Amino acid sequence: MISYINTLYLIYGLLITLSYVVLALISARALYDYITLNKFVSYEALLSSSNAPPLSLIAPAYNEEKTIIENIRSLLSLHYNNLEIIIVNDGSKDQTFQKVLEAYSMKPVPFFLRTAVSCKPIRGIYKSTNPAYGKLLFVDKENGGKADALNAGINVSSFDIICCIDVDCIIEQDGLLKMVKPFMESKEPVIAVGGVVRIANSCEIEDGRLIKTHVPREIIPRFQVIEYLRAFLMGRMGWSRMNALLLISGALGMFDKKIAIAVGGYNHKTVGEDMELVVRMRRYMTENKKPYRVVYIPDPLCWTEAPSDYKILGRQRNRWMRGTMETLWAHRKIFFNPKYGILGWLSFPYWTFFEWMAPLVEATGLIYFLVLIGLGFDNWSLFILLSATVYFSSIAISFLALLFEELTYHQYQSKRETFLLVITAIIEPFLFHPRSAWWGVRGNIDKIRGQKSWGEMTRTGFVRPQKQ
Amino acid sequence: MGSTAIILQQRIPTWSDVWDLVHYTKFNLPGWASEPLLWICTSIIAISILFSVVLLIALYSYRFRTQYRLRRRRELEKSYLLLLTGIIFDEPEEGVEQSKAKLVRHFRNIYLDDSFNRKILRKQLLTLHRNFSGSACTILRNLYLELQLEKESLKKLKSPMVNKRIQAIRELSRMHVHAASDRIRKLTRHSNRLLRNEAQLAMLELDKENAFSFLDDNLQHLSEWDQMNLETTAHRTQGLVIPDFTKWFYEPNPSVVQFCIRMCVQNNQFEASDGLIKLLSSSEEKVVRQSIQALGELMIDDAVPSLISLYRKKQVAFGSDILKTLSKIGGDQVIRFLQNRYEEGNDQEAFEAASALKYTGEAGMMLLEKAGAHAANRSSLIAQHLLNPYLQP
């Protein structure tokens, strides 16, 4: 009996390793194609063309008084002509509302609201009296959570493509131009586009713009740099290539508004509203037998401040796990359902077995091993063999992600910083991964207990460049 | 067993020693699974370690190579810029021709024996060529030809790598190497979309008389992105002969039709109006939408009855576009229709109709102002929204 359980754990470890290798290979090809072929793309035509699709950028804000002014200024400096920027104040309890009104000379306007998706009541809509901020629309509403705020933004938006972002992210100046391109170049309709999110801790930011990138000085965000590189450059690129991507990060995603409205907008009842919306949109298109694509682009378009203490990071990961569980459960019909094609046969099973179950398997594996020790059946040799297999393969995969970054975007330019990342990749499986698995397990426990909150996320703010 | 032997003999362990060590260790796996699983695990460990070392070497060697090339590139760019701007701006004492010949000799003797140097020079020439106009461009083009850099571009045109071919097309078209026209024309129907579009854009530069011949019997998809690039480049290209785009209105490829409709608008081809009205009954949604928009841009009065009739039939699909187009055309019939939709339609329709009314001119504005002055009903809320000076698009 014990030997069979051992075999199961070993096979699971091997399968997960194999899946990473396959994804890495597919991503490598996708990245190569993207980089070589997009080297010659000029976005000038898009900037000047009257045929460039107009965009509505929606950024919900909740208790952002410390950074909201600078964040809006950063959004106003984005390179895109036909753009409206909608800031949704989701019933902030601090001075967010007052600060925006004062800083941007906002006045209430009589707005005829057409409710396409449900959201909490809107208290007022404001426009700036200063023509320099003509693109800006400020919505004040009752608190209802991020999904609800995004739905309010959808209701007031004027254009057919919406870009939903986290207000505290820094979007690259040409980020919107790059994200709009897939909507225009694909023969099949593109329903959603995602961009790579990078860690901005220790990077130099001035006037809401990224001046210089650095590897985070603190170890916790540095672990996340490795994690994000693996997830974005190696994972999502591969899924996108197979048109099997289930998740577009809530920090930056562009959507076809008509489809988003047709499926009812963001779901208020989940804490993983970003993944849930993409899955629902994909499901809608498949069920209505419409061809479509969900595209991911590897350019570093969005920079975000990662949690730098374990407590806040734990809350974030706990929420991500609950969001994953809620989405997988809500759309369980897709699971191994041939009607949904690659979604049913590959994406959904992968997320179920390797994203949701992986922390549980790791935790039960550890408990099982401890029980065996207690019963005098300890098997150190198998434990070491399995751990070594997973450890060395995970290091190889992290190094591959670092090489991908070096060959493509080369964001970290000093040799010292690259060395720091190499060392971080070596120690990450010991110092970070066990905690990450534990947060996943806690997410499962909290979900079973009925926990629905987001958990408070505090940020320390970005680094300013030193004055000469 | 293996490890004891190694210790006793004091030698470096071989792969078979490692395998022996793993093989004789008790893993408590079922007999049938033991051998293959152990083999797989040890192989993964060995491959991962080896692979990690290779990756690290690759990472650092790539870093050193990139930094070295970057340094070299900067130095070269500096020298090239000095030489090239010298010949463009300075008045040479010994005459332009002698000075140019001297420069060509200088480049040949010092720089052009190395492919990296040539690559940087080509890039530099192209960048300067794009930023200058008139005689400066001619000087740069002549230099490109005299240094026979076009030969390398023509060679790259045969490369199996799409990105190299794209680069070659761009170089040849920017430098107006007409000798490459026929070869580039063949690529306008290539299966790779990016290469195809680059070739189509190049034809606008290289064959101004017959630049749009790639539209004939073209069955390959022209994406919105391709169309926008073609449209922008056509707009910027001087001396381009503009054909009658209506001749492609009945092509089987809807993306070609869509592009031709756009080009009719860009070139004010009012004679396309009958064709555009006919295209309103096309089965292709994108063609119908493009035709609706074109009728508005060209302000074709005759299209009003057809547009209103289409609105009644297919309001869900094209309603918003039709209302916008009607607002551009204007007239009594349009105002009556828009007023009706403003009062009778659902919220979205009423808003769009009122928004269209606003742009029909004075009569439409007066209607909105009148509605806005009334008590708080839907029409008045819409009117107040649309007339608010801060909510202008």
Side-chain angles (χ1 to χ4, degrees):
Chain A
M1 179 65 183
I2 290 173
S3 67
Y4 281 98
I5 298 175
N6 290 346
T7 310
L8 278 179
Y9 277 110
L10 202 55
I11 288 176
Y12 183 85
L14 292 176
L15 279 178
I16 211 164
T17 306
L18 181 72
S19 72
Y20 289 151
V21 172
V22 172
L23 263 179
L25 289 174
I26 299 170
S27 300
R29 180 71 216 185
L31 261 176
Y32 174 80
D33 285 351
Y34 183 88
I35 300 286
T36 50
L37 296 176
N38 279 275
K39 210 158 45 178
F40 308 102
V41 171
S42 157
Y43 292 93
E44 283 167 31
L46 186 57
L47 256 182
S48 56
S49 173
S50 58
N51 289 316
L55 282 184
S56 295
L57 189 139
I58 306 170
Y62 178 69
N63 291 350
E64 304 273 356
E65 63 175 8
K66 284 182 192 158
T67 53
I68 189 76
I69 306 300
E70 200 160 319
N71 292 336
I72 294 177
R73 195 180 306 143
S74 163
L75 295 177
L76 284 165
S77 71
L78 291 176
H79 295 169
Y80 203 88
N81 274 344
N82 220 343
L83 173 72
E84 68 170 352
I85 298 165
I86 302 165
I87 308 293
V88 186
N89 176 39
D90 189 31
S92 297
K93 290 172 192 156
D94 63 0
Q95 296 292 304
T96 305
F97 175 70
Q98 289 80 358
K99 285 206 166 184
V100 175
L101 288 198
E102 281 165 28
Y104 293 99
S105 321
M106 291 287 180
K107 289 269 177 280
V109 285
F111 197 95
F112 180 70
L113 191 70
R114 289 138 283 156
T115 309
V117 287
S118 72
C119 68
K120 287 269 169 76
I122 289 175
R123 295 192 284 230
I125 294 176
Y126 301 79
K127 282 285 285 185
S128 176
T129 52
N130 183 345
Y133 309 130
K135 287 177 179 177
L136 195 60
L137 187 75
F138 186 50
V139 180
D140 181 39
K141 65 177 277 290
E142 285 178 14
N143 180 260
K146 188 182 171 189
D148 194 75
L150 287 166
N151 279 350
I154 292 174
N155 285 333
V156 299
S157 65
S158 315
F159 304 129
D160 287 340
I161 298 179
I162 49 168
C163 180
C164 300
I165 64 160
D166 282 350
V167 76
D168 50 11
C169 282
I170 290 176
I171 311 287
E172 288 280 340
Q173 301 251 288
D174 56 356
L176 298 179
L177 295 168
K178 286 180 177 170
M179 285 185 81
V180 152
K181 188 169 163 259
F183 283 97
M184 298 179 73
E185 68 181 353
S186 172
K187 193 173 179 182
E188 289 168 330
V190 170
I191 58 167
V193 175
V196 167
V197 179
R198 293 284 188 101
I199 307 283
N201 300 48
S202 304
C203 292
E204 292 171 26
I205 315 281
E206 196 173 53
D207 291 334
R209 272 186 277 179
L210 187 82
I211 307 292
K212 197 163 187 336
T213 52
H214 291 293
V215 167
R217 278 186 288 272
E218 291 164 291
I219 188 82
I220 300 171
R222 218 183 303 143
F223 284 138
Q224 293 170 78
V225 168
I226 300 282
E227 219 186 7
Y228 276 42
L229 286 178
R230 273 198 314 250
F232 287 99
L233 290 185
M234 285 176 54
R236 294 191 197 173
M237 269 314 282
W239 288 113
S240 169
R241 177 75 164 210
M242 295 184 278
N243 196 19
L245 188 68
L246 284 191
L247 172 62
I248 281 179
S249 168
L252 177 66
M254 215 176 250
F255 302 94
D256 180 330
K257 188 169 88 173
K258 279 185 185 150
I259 308 297
I261 288 176
V263 299
Y266 281 94
N267 185 346
H268 309 219
K269 288 174 189 161
T270 174
V271 287
E273 76 296 325
D274 43 7
M275 181 178 172
E276 205 279 332
L277 178 70
V278 177
V279 175
R280 203 147 27 93
M281 286 172 79
R282 296 192 73 125
R283 203 175 149 181
Y284 169 84
M285 296 300 280
T286 312
E287 284 168 0
N288 288 286
K289 296 191 173 62
K290 292 178 183 176
Y292 72 96
R293 281 197 73 81
V294 173
V295 178
Y296 215 80
I297 48 176
D299 300 83
L301 301 180
C302 172
W303 296 81
T304 186
E305 189 193 343
S308 48
D309 78 59
Y310 280 126
K311 204 172 155 192
I312 296 170
L313 183 63
R315 281 186 209 143
Q316 185 194 52
R317 297 307 160 96
N318 180 317
R319 176 168 56 79
W320 286 2
M321 177 51 78
R322 282 183 286 130
T324 303
M325 289 171 74
E326 283 163 357
T327 306
L328 293 175
W329 180 250
H331 300 281
R332 58 192 178 278
K333 191 184 168 191
I334 297 174
F335 194 73
F336 284 127
N337 187 337
K339 193 176 140 188
Y340 295 95
I342 196 164
L343 214 60
W345 284 110
L346 199 64
S347 313
F348 234 69
Y350 177 88
W351 272 82
T352 308
F353 294 125
F354 298 143
E355 294 286 344
W356 168 50
M357 279 175 61
L360 296 177
V361 172
E362 280 182 58
T364 53
L366 193 67
I367 294 166
Y368 166 72
F369 182 68
L370 293 173
V371 169
L372 286 187
I373 291 175
L375 295 173
F377 293 112
D378 56 308
N379 189 346
W380 285 99
S381 45
L382 181 71
F383 180 77
I384 291 168
L385 181 76
L386 185 56
S387 304
T389 309
V390 173
Y391 175 72
F392 286 110
S393 58
S394 74
I395 285 188
I397 285 165
S398 296
F399 282 3
L400 187 61
L402 287 178
L403 184 67
F404 277 9
E405 151 63 17
E406 183 69 24
L407 296 176
T408 53
Y409 297 103
H410 190 52
Q411 293 289 325
Y412 304 111
Q413 287 171 6
S414 86
K415 290 188 201 87
R416 190 187 148 270
E417 289 188 325
T418 309
F419 179 70
L420 265 180
L421 287 177
V422 168
I423 298 296
T424 311
I426 293 170
I427 59 175
E428 187 233 16
F430 297 116
L431 298 183
F432 184 73
H433 184 76
R435 286 175 192 265
S436 183
W438 168 238
W439 293 322
V441 174
R442 276 305 304 257
N444 275 273
I445 296 167
D446 287 350
K447 177 68 203 152
I448 293 162
R449 281 182 179 165
Q451 160 90 267
K452 282 180 181 164
S453 78
W454 263 59
E456 201 176 319
M457 295 284 294
T458 47
R459 296 184 193 266
T460 51
F462 294 117
V463 175
R464 284 168 192 285
Q466 288 170 350
K467 296 272 181 233
Q468 296 293 312
Chain B
M1 273 173 77
S3 54
T4 324
I6 295 163
I7 295 163
L8 289 174
Q9 291 166 25
Q10 289 188 329
R11 61 182 174 83
I12 298 165
T14 62
W15 176 244
S16 67
D17 295 327
V18 176
W19 177 242
D20 279 352
L21 177 70
V22 174
H23 197 71
Y24 291 105
T25 309
K26 287 203 175 301
F27 286 101
N28 203 0
L29 293 169
W32 57 268
S34 182
E35 195 88 344
L37 283 177
L38 294 184
W39 190 86
I40 292 170
C41 285
T42 40
S43 305
I44 289 179
I45 294 171
I47 292 168
S48 297
I49 294 172
L50 194 71
F51 193 50
S52 300
V53 173
V54 171
L55 287 172
L56 268 185
I57 294 169
L59 181 79
Y60 274 98
S61 51
Y62 182 80
R63 167 64 62 95
F64 284 116
R65 185 170 156 261
T66 316
Q67 284 181 342
Y68 166 72
R69 285 171 83 100
L70 189 71
R71 246 193 336 266
R72 217 174 121 196
R73 187 183 158 166
R74 280 188 189 142
E75 283 165 15
L76 279 171
E77 279 175 349
K78 214 168 141 189
S79 319
Y80 289 161
L81 195 65
L82 215 65
L83 290 165
L84 295 172
T85 48
I87 195 165
I88 293 170
F89 296 117
D90 294 350
E91 287 284 330
E93 286 167 14
E94 69 262 62
V96 177
E97 283 311 309
Q98 287 94 323
S99 162
K100 215 167 71 184
K102 210 167 136 188
L103 186 73
V104 168
R105 269 202 308 280
H106 182 72
F107 269 120
R108 278 199 184 131
N109 294 340
I110 298 180
Y111 298 110
L112 296 188
D113 53 343
D114 183 287
S115 67
F116 183 74
N117 290 0
R118 287 197 299 274
K119 184 178 153 189
I120 302 299
L121 179 59
R122 271 202 316 273
K123 277 191 180 168
Q124 191 82 324
L125 281 170
L126 285 165
T127 312
L128 288 173
H129 190 270
R130 200 177 49 201
N131 295 334
F132 285 113
S133 61
S135 62
C137 276
T138 317
I139 292 172
L140 291 167
R141 181 179 177 267
N142 289 343
L143 197 60
Y144 174 81
L145 295 174
E146 276 172 52
L147 292 170
Q148 298 184 332
L149 294 173
E150 90 282 8
K151 281 189 180 168
E152 213 151 330
S153 305
L154 286 164
K155 209 168 129 191
K156 269 200 294 182
L157 211 52
K158 288 180 195 160
S159 165
M161 291 165 86
V162 170
N163 57 325
K164 293 217 164 158
R165 290 166 98 177
I166 292 177
Q167 203 177 6
I169 294 173
R170 198 162 281 190
E171 287 167 9
L172 293 165
S173 67
R174 290 232 176 111
M175 289 298 181
H176 302 280
V177 182
H178 295 281
S181 294
D182 289 341
R183 283 163 67 183
I184 294 177
R185 193 191 308 280
K186 282 178 195 154
L187 297 174
T188 58
R189 282 152 199 259
H190 194 271
S191 58
N192 184 292
R193 190 187 65 79
L194 293 169
L195 180 60
R196 196 164 69 223
N197 188 232
E198 198 62 45
Q200 290 162 354
L201 291 169
M203 290 320 291
L204 301 185
E205 288 285 351
L206 295 175
D207 186 6
K208 292 181 179 173
E209 296 279 318
N210 205 14
F212 294 97
S213 60
F214 66 87
L215 293 172
D216 294 328
D217 308 317
N218 187 344
L219 293 176
Q220 274 155 329
H221 181 68
L222 269 180
S223 72
E224 298 264 341
W225 182 264
D226 300 340
Q227 291 182 39
M228 185 193 68
N229 278 325
L230 282 167
E231 199 184 338
T232 314
T233 310
H235 187 63
R236 283 185 197 156
T237 309
Q238 288 176 351
L240 190 68
V241 175
I242 302 294
D244 175 7
F245 283 98
T246 55
K247 70 177 175 187
W248 289 289
F249 271 11
Y250 303 101
E251 287 287 320
N253 182 347
S255 63
V256 165
V257 181
Q258 196 188 354
F259 173 67
C260 291
I261 298 171
R262 281 179 166 186
M263 293 306 287
C264 282
V265 173
Q266 193 192 61
N267 296 291
N268 293 322
Q269 294 186 343
F270 293 99
E271 60 279 13
S273 60
D274 289 345
L276 288 172
I277 293 170
K278 275 185 199 158
L279 285 176
L280 291 178
S281 50
S282 164
S283 57
E284 289 293 334
E285 193 175 307
K286 281 190 172 175
V287 170
V288 178
R289 181 161 281 126
Q290 201 68 54
S291 307
I292 294 169
Q293 287 166 7
L295 287 166
E297 296 297 329
L298 296 172
M299 295 195 272
I300 310 290
D301 294 340
D302 297 347
V304 171
S306 311
L307 286 168
I308 291 177
S309 138
L310 184 68
Y311 185 89
R312 289 192 172 124
K313 270 191 254 168
K314 293 189 174 177
Q315 185 201 331
V316 177
F318 306 113
S320 175
D321 298 282
I322 294 174
L323 293 176
K324 274 183 201 153
T325 288
L326 288 174
S327 76
K328 287 175 187 160
I329 299 172
D332 289 344
Q333 190 187 358
V334 166
I335 290 176
R336 275 199 306 279
F337 175 73
L338 292 177
Q339 192 184 0
N340 173 271
R341 296 328 306 154
Y342 173 34
E343 284 160 6
E344 309 287 327
N346 61 33
D347 282 359
Q348 183 64 26
E349 197 185 355
F351 184 82
E352 279 167 0
S355 187
L357 261 178
K358 185 177 160 186
Y359 295 103
T360 51
E362 230 173 276
M365 279 295 273
M366 273 170 62
L367 272 170
L368 283 180
E369 277 163 11
K370 212 168 130 189
H374 277 127
N377 58 19
R378 187 185 75 173
S379 297
S380 110
L381 284 174
I382 292 174
Q384 282 168 20
H385 176 142
L386 291 168
L387 296 173
N388 189 286
Y390 301 124
L391 284 170
Q392 301 313 308

